[in-house]
Amino acid sequence: MKVKVIPVLEDNYMYLVIEEHTREAVAVDVAVPKRVRAAFGRREHSCGPRHRRPRPSVRTPRGSPDYAAEAHPLPGALCTRAWRPNTGSHLDHLHLPNSHPFQLLEIVGREGVSLTTVLTTHHHWDHAQGNTELVRLLPGLVVLGADERICALTRRLAHGEELRFGAIHVRCLLTPGHTSGHMSYFLWEDECLDPPAVFSGDALSVAGCGSRLETTAQQMYHSLVETLGTLPPETKVFCGHEHTLGNLEFAQKVEPCNNHVKAKLSWAKRGACVQVHREGRPS
């Protein structure tokens, strides 16, 4: 399983997951299918209720560089852990450089894969507004999610439902809190030494979580602690936004004596100074 991390908009991530034997690909949270919006807040062709979220304290590079060909990161353009498959080693403290804005369909073409499915975590425009255009460009594309408000939705998923893309298994985990229909996706591959991955959208980010907008605090607690919190500890988290430094700085203000927060904040700040190669398979 290969994961392409594609930063878009101000601080979003969308992803392309590739099954390397069948060359089938699945996109996660398509905000922009073929071009990068020029400015934050520009929402042409958006669908569903719009929501305002605070401007991030950390601004990631605009565009969508092709990042770490075999990486399974704990996402964050300024603080990323990239997993080297089958080696047990890590590349820590990575920084995504400003570079040519590769776009989702360009990456699909360059990889020579067949994009068959879109998995959408929730209906907000910055995670789903690209679905309609992408379906127009790729007739027959399947768009899946747990909320009828998702743009171009083909079929609504249920909690615990399992999907299959070649050797890749997907377990659908309903994680309400940010929205009532938020779905996270837990992926693993048969007979593979790589750790499993979860695409958590706005349910979970590095050192934080999305704002609770539509559900109760009890539901959000259940999503974070009892659903996502019980996944295997080696699971790699692919979140929807880059808020790492801001989250950790806030956490340090709340708990100034927390040594775990201090260490993670130091790790994140060091990561802003190190460049990562855009191309190449980690050796």
Side-chain angles (χ1 to χ4, degrees):
M1 181 170 64
K2 180 188 292 187
V3 178
K4 295 285 186 178
V5 182
I6 310 171
V8 291
L9 304 174
E10 282 284 314
D11 60 12
N12 276 62
Y13 291 108
M14 60 183 183
Y15 301 96
L16 183 69
V17 183
I18 299 171
E19 209 281 19
E20 296 190 85
H21 299 291
T22 65
R23 307 304 294 169
E24 182 177 1
V26 178
V28 181
D29 279 359
V30 178
V32 182
K34 68 172 186 176
R35 62 182 182 274
V36 177
R37 297 292 186 257
F40 177 74
R42 187 177 174 189
R43 304 175 182 181
E44 50 279 63
H45 308 300
S46 63
C47 59
R50 296 173 180 174
H51 71 296
R52 286 187 174 272
R53 52 187 171 82
R55 296 182 69 90
S57 58
V58 180
R59 294 173 64 91
T60 60
R62 296 177 187 270
S64 49
D66 177 14
Y67 162 62
E70 290 284 328
H72 296 266
L74 183 64
L78 299 177
C79 48
T80 304
R81 164 162 288 191
W83 177 258
R84 288 182 171 182
N86 307 325
T87 67
S89 61
H90 294 87
L91 298 171
D92 284 307
H93 320 313
L94 304 180
H95 171 64
L96 288 173
N98 288 307
S99 58
H100 177 74
F102 291 109
Q103 299 161 1
L104 175 62
L105 291 182
E106 291 180 273
I107 296 173
V108 167
R110 189 178 60 196
E111 289 289 321
V113 298
S114 175
L115 179 60
T116 64
T117 306
V118 173
L119 299 176
T120 303
T121 60
H122 62 292
H123 73 279
H124 288 157
W125 70 273
D126 55 335
H127 295 262
Q129 74 170 356
N131 291 351
T132 301
E133 185 177 4
L134 194 61
V135 167
R136 181 181 63 81
L137 295 170
L138 299 175
L141 186 71
V142 176
V143 178
L144 303 176
D147 196 319
E148 294 290 348
R149 295 172 290 181
I150 291 172
C151 293
L153 185 70
T154 303
R155 183 170 67 84
R156 189 171 178 177
L157 299 169
H159 176 68
E161 184 173 348
E162 294 199 1
L163 310 172
R164 188 76 178 265
F165 302 97
I168 299 175
H169 297 263
V170 180
R171 182 175 298 142
C172 304
L173 302 174
L174 191 63
T175 48
H178 183 62
T179 68
S180 59
H182 193 292
M183 184 74 83
S184 298
Y185 301 97
F186 178 65
L187 277 67
W188 72 97
E189 192 169 3
D190 287 336
E191 300 179 1
C192 181
L193 297 179
D194 293 349
V198 64
F199 294 84
S200 59
D202 283 0
L204 176 69
S205 58
V206 182
C209 60
S211 301
R212 182 177 63 84
L213 299 178
E214 296 182 355
T215 64
T216 67
Q218 288 79 9
Q219 286 175 303
M220 191 170 198
Y221 177 88
H222 183 276
S223 297
L224 293 172
V225 176
E226 299 182 24
T227 301
L228 296 177
T230 57
L231 293 176
E234 68 272 18
T235 301
K236 300 301 174 183
V237 177
F238 293 83
C239 54
H241 293 277
E242 174 47 52
H243 291 162
T244 306
L245 282 178
N247 287 342
L248 289 167
E249 288 167 351
F250 173 77
Q252 187 174 54
K253 289 181 180 179
V254 175
E255 297 184 339
C257 298
N258 188 318
N259 290 328
H260 294 291
V261 172
K262 289 180 181 178
K264 193 68 174 179
L265 180 58
S266 176
W267 168 81
K269 288 181 176 178
R270 288 197 307 271
C273 302
V274 181
Q275 297 292 316
V276 61
H277 293 295
R278 283 175 34 217
E279 291 283 344
R281 183 181 295 266
S283 59

